[in-house]
Amino acid sequence: MQRCFELALKGAGSVAPNPMVGAVLVYNNRIIGEGFHEKYGEAHAEVNCIKSVSVEDRHLIQSATMYVSLEPCAHYGKTPPCSQLIIDQKIPKVVIACSDPFLKVNGRGIENLKAAGIELEFGILEKEAQELNKRFFEFHTNKRPFIILKWAETANHFIASDSDERLLISNDFSNRLVHRWRSEEVAIMVGTNTALKDNPTLNNRLWTGKNPIRILVDQHLKLPAYSNLMQGEATTIIFNKYKSETVDHLIYAQIDFEKHVIEQIMEYCYTYPIQSILVEGGAQLLQSFVDAGIWDEARIIQNANLAVEKGIAAPVLKEQVLEESLQLSTDTIFFYRNGSKK
């Protein structure tokens, strides 16, 4: 099963809104096939696993055991159901790490396999499997994206200066890591003030992989058309007070700013579907997520060698639990989870 997890992770950043899944086919303690879900819309892990079996070993499939990190699907989507493929291949035993919370699966894949007389073993490294697909589970269980808060702060907890000049806090090593994080999430979000002051591109130029969808909260549509976020490098969703329309790569989404803004954004992202968001600023937007209790992880980059006399104070987390820290030269990165979530 650990090998299934290793394989599944190879699909990180490429399979959402599907989960990352790995599958291994074993005969007499020998792996005869393995595969993972490589890209959304393409073959699932079980399909790739069976395809990988050599011609010489194909006769062993009907005597082998398949290990898979998530319940095989039971519905027709972009691809046919994998549970039926396993049945058709006459695989006699399947070992599954955890069930799939997606409503069109959620136990139906297991029921199909049982009805076909296939021997099942379930719950092997279940917690690890759920952690692997925490974004997918959060999305389908609580009907909202998985939220990661991220900011860089000085040693005395400021995230920006009080002038128009941009304060460069994190070092080159941390900046490269941040771009890796961008490649792993579906979307990235900033507020109006950050977009106006920093004119960010919010793309993934220091790492391999796709650019995230860019989300801008801009109530009064203040961001000029020449700004980087308005250019066509990636889709930009603009939550605003006035209009809902699509113009090329720009999607204007109208919401009521007199009501719960964060909850409305979460509802929109669940509908479309945007499974995970990296919230990069600014302080007001980040604090809004904290105060609403709508966050899952926080990643804070702190430069121990930099302090400013005054500026914009960093957000303040609530009920956070420190999971780990990482030292990258002058920067220390603190990884927190939301301790209020069970």
Side-chain angles (χ1 to χ4, degrees):
M1 192 59 72
Q2 290 283 11
R3 178 57 181 162
C4 289
F5 297 162
E6 291 173 4
L7 290 165
L9 279 170
K10 293 183 177 182
S14 300
V15 301
N18 284 351
M20 296 177 288
V21 183
V24 175
L25 200 59
V26 178
Y27 175 78
N28 278 357
N29 294 320
R30 179 170 69 88
I31 293 177
I32 62 172
E34 58 182 30
F36 65 98
H37 185 27
E38 298 177 13
K39 187 177 181 181
Y40 175 68
E42 296 184 0
H44 288 187
E46 297 91 332
V47 175
N48 289 330
C49 177
I50 290 170
K51 281 184 177 178
S52 75
V53 178
S54 67
V55 174
E56 294 78 11
D57 286 339
R58 293 202 68 80
H59 70 285
L60 301 176
I61 293 176
Q62 296 183 16
S63 303
T65 298
M66 176 172 281
Y67 294 78
V68 60
S69 58
L70 189 72
E71 175 185 2
C73 62
H75 66 291
Y76 283 88
K78 295 283 185 180
T79 60
C82 292
S83 56
Q84 188 58 51
L85 173 66
I86 292 170
I87 294 168
D88 292 344
Q89 291 290 321
K90 297 182 171 56
I91 297 172
K93 181 177 180 180
V94 179
V95 180
I96 301 169
C98 66
S99 60
D100 186 334
F102 183 44
L103 287 177
K104 291 184 178 180
V105 184
N106 200 12
R108 292 181 178 85
I110 291 172
E111 290 174 4
N112 289 352
L113 297 176
K114 282 183 177 179
I118 293 173
E119 181 183 351
L120 291 179
E121 195 169 342
F122 180 79
I124 305 302
L125 300 180
E126 183 174 15
K127 289 184 178 179
E128 291 86 346
Q130 291 171 348
E131 176 66 18
L132 172 72
N133 278 305
K134 55 191 174 184
R135 296 161 179 81
F136 182 78
F137 274 82
E138 180 65 40
F139 188 79
H140 288 288
T141 302
N142 293 322
K143 295 180 170 52
R144 69 161 175 84
F146 189 88
I147 300 298
I148 301 170
L149 309 179
K150 172 264 168 184
W151 70 84
E153 64 180 31
T154 64
N156 55 340
H157 310 295
F158 289 99
I159 66 169
S161 66
D162 60 353
S163 69
D164 290 335
E165 185 177 349
R166 186 175 183 182
L167 180 63
L168 300 177
I169 298 175
S170 53
N171 62 39
D172 290 343
F173 301 106
S174 297
N175 291 340
R176 185 173 291 273
L177 180 58
V178 167
H179 281 243
R180 174 183 172 180
W181 295 343
R182 290 179 179 182
S183 75
E184 294 170 345
E185 309 309 330
V186 177
I188 184 169
M189 179 186 291
V190 294
T192 309
N193 291 337
T194 298
L196 288 171
K197 184 175 182 178
D198 296 343
N199 192 23
T201 306
L202 300 185
N203 61 5
N204 171 31
R205 57 192 180 275
L206 301 179
W207 199 261
T208 59
K210 62 174 180 57
N211 289 324
I213 296 169
R214 302 174 298 194
I215 298 177
L216 171 65
V217 183
D218 187 6
Q219 179 177 357
H220 298 293
L221 297 175
K222 291 181 178 180
L223 196 66
Y226 57 78
S227 302
N228 288 330
L229 288 183
M230 306 297 278
Q231 309 313 308
E233 189 169 7
T235 298
T236 301
I237 301 171
I238 305 169
F239 288 101
N240 71 96
K241 181 179 180 178
Y242 303 105
K243 62 182 180 179
S244 289
E245 64 181 30
T246 300
V247 182
D248 296 326
H249 62 284
L250 301 177
I251 301 172
Y252 293 89
Q254 185 178 17
I255 60 174
D256 186 349
F257 281 82
E258 299 300 319
K259 297 181 179 179
H260 298 290
V261 171
I262 300 300
E263 292 181 3
Q264 291 177 77
I265 292 173
M266 295 298 95
E267 289 173 5
Y268 178 97
C269 291
Y270 178 73
T271 301
Y272 274 89
I274 295 171
Q275 198 175 97
S276 63
I277 303 174
L278 181 65
V279 184
E280 285 212 2
Q284 183 178 343
L285 181 63
L286 287 160
Q287 194 65 55
S288 296
F289 276 92
V290 174
D291 293 343
I294 300 176
W295 66 282
D296 300 285
E297 294 180 359
R299 301 169 184 177
I300 302 174
I301 304 169
Q302 189 177 90
N303 185 337
N305 295 349
L306 177 64
V308 295
E309 292 186 5
K310 55 183 179 178
I312 299 174
V316 179
L317 292 175
K318 300 175 183 177
E319 299 189 70
Q320 73 275 18
V321 176
L322 180 63
E323 295 276 76
E324 62 175 315
S325 62
L326 173 67
Q327 192 71 39
L328 289 178
S329 185
T330 55
D331 292 345
T332 304
I333 306 177
F334 299 95
F335 296 84
Y336 295 95
R337 64 174 173 85
N338 188 342
S340 69
K341 297 181 61 182
K342 302 300 181 182

